[in-house]
Amino acid sequence: MASAHLLVSHGSHDPRPEIAIQHLVELLCHKIQSDLLVTTTGGITSQLKCQTLVGTAYLELNPEPLHKQIIKFAKNALDSGCDSLKIQPLFLLPGVHVMEDIPAQVALAQQAIGQNIKIFLQPYLGSHPGLECLLAKQLIATKAEAKILLAHGSRRLEGNVPVEAMAAKIGAVAAYLGVSPSLEARVQELVGTGYKNLAIIPYFLFPGGMTDTVAQKQQELKLQFPEVNFQLTEPLGASKELVELIWDLLK
C-alpha cells in the first residue's frame, strides 16, 4: 500500500519548533528514500514520489482546523498516487490532545474525504520505547546525584503515567509545569534529602516557549538554593535518532 505521511504537532507562535519540524521532515524524507532504494527493485521512481510525500499539520494556532489541513494533504496524496495516509502525532504524552482531539479531527477528515484514500492514525511518538535511549544519551555528560524529568503534564491523569514510567527507567523523579508535583516541589524534596547536584531533564521535543520557561525556572532555583548545582539538559531535538523512532512508528 503506497502511503503518504503527515506529522501532526501542537503548533506554536514561537518559530523555533517550526524550524525543527521542517528539519525533521527533511531527515525523514531522506530516511524513507534510503530505505526504499535498498528494498525496492522495480517502480522506484513512482513509489518514491508517494512514499516521500511528507507533510506537517498543526492541532492549534493554525488558520485552518486540523481536519481541513488533513483533507487538503490527503487530496494531494491521492493525486500523487497514494492510497493511504499515515498520521503521526508528535506528542510525548497521551493527554487530551492525543486521546481525544486528534482522533476526532482524523474522523472528520476521513468522513469528508471518503474511502478513496484510507487515513491511519499511528501511535503517538511518546509511546515508542526507544525514547528512553535518547534521554539516557543526554545524561552521559552529567554528573548529577539526582535527576528530575520535567514534562508539561496533562489534566488527563492517565496521560502522566508514561512520564512516571520513563522517569523510573532513567533513574529520575517526575515533575510537571502544568500539574502537581511541580519542579520547585521536587527540588525542595531532593535538597531536603541532602542532594546538592541536580539535573533537570526537559521532556520536550524542541526548543521553544516551554524550554524558555524551564530555563527561567532554573535561574530562579539557583537564587533560591545557592548551595545547589543545577544542570539543565537540552530537549530531544530534530535528530537522525528521533527520525528512526518516527519511521518505526510509521511503518
Side-chain angles (χ1 to χ4, degrees):
M1 183 177 289
S3 180
H5 311 93
L6 187 63
L7 307 181
V8 174
S9 62
H10 182 275
S12 173
H13 290 302
D14 193 304
R16 288 172 292 174
E18 171 65 16
I19 293 171
I21 289 172
Q22 292 307 318
H23 182 47
L24 203 64
V25 168
E26 293 175 6
L27 291 173
L28 182 57
C29 287
H30 180 74
K31 171 65 178 174
I32 295 171
Q33 288 180 353
S34 298
D35 280 10
L36 285 174
L37 286 172
V38 170
T39 60
T40 307
T41 56
I44 293 177
T45 302
S46 60
Q47 190 170 1
L48 279 177
K49 180 181 178 183
C50 180
Q51 290 281 17
T52 55
L53 186 60
V54 179
T56 59
Y58 304 92
L59 182 62
E60 296 183 359
L61 304 176
N62 189 278
E64 291 185 319
L66 177 58
H67 71 275
K68 289 190 177 181
Q69 298 173 61
I70 296 173
I71 292 168
K72 185 179 296 184
F73 187 77
K75 289 180 178 177
N76 186 25
L78 191 59
D79 292 341
S80 298
C82 300
D83 51 15
S84 71
L85 167 59
K86 293 182 179 180
I87 294 179
Q88 178 61 60
L90 297 182
F91 289 76
L92 294 175
L93 310 183
V96 175
H97 287 332
V98 166
M99 302 306 295
E100 299 177 17
D101 298 339
I102 294 177
Q105 291 292 306
V106 170
L108 285 173
Q110 183 70 81
Q111 184 179 15
I113 201 71
Q115 296 302 314
N116 290 329
I117 183 168
K118 183 63 178 176
I119 302 176
F120 296 95
L121 181 58
Q122 304 302 107
Y124 71 100
L125 179 56
S127 66
H128 199 295
L131 280 172
E132 177 187 348
C133 294
L134 293 189
L135 287 174
K137 285 182 179 179
Q138 292 183 314
L139 295 172
I140 293 176
T142 65
K143 299 179 180 180
E145 301 168 328
K147 301 181 284 288
I148 303 172
L149 183 64
L150 180 62
H152 180 275
S154 171
R155 65 180 185 274
R156 182 178 180 272
L157 294 180
E158 298 90 340
N160 299 320
V161 172
V163 182
E164 304 288 339
M166 180 65 75
K169 289 177 181 177
I170 63 173
V173 294
Y176 306 95
L177 291 178
V179 296
S180 181
S182 67
L183 175 61
E184 294 83 354
R186 283 301 197 197
V187 169
Q188 288 176 347
E189 290 174 6
L190 293 170
V191 172
T193 309
Y195 291 108
K196 300 291 186 181
N197 199 341
L198 306 181
I200 301 172
I201 310 157
Y203 197 33
F204 298 94
L205 283 177
F206 311 120
M210 289 295 179
T211 55
D212 287 349
T213 298
V214 175
Q216 182 180 344
K217 287 185 175 294
Q218 181 202 25
Q219 295 302 316
E220 293 171 354
L221 288 167
K222 284 182 177 180
L223 294 175
Q224 188 176 352
F225 301 96
E227 75 283 5
V228 177
N229 177 40
F230 292 96
Q231 302 174 61
L232 180 62
T233 66
E234 296 294 325
L236 291 168
S239 64
K240 290 182 179 179
E241 292 80 6
L242 186 64
V243 165
E244 291 285 348
L245 304 188
I246 293 172
W247 184 226
D248 190 40
L249 291 170
L250 284 169
K251 289 191 294 184

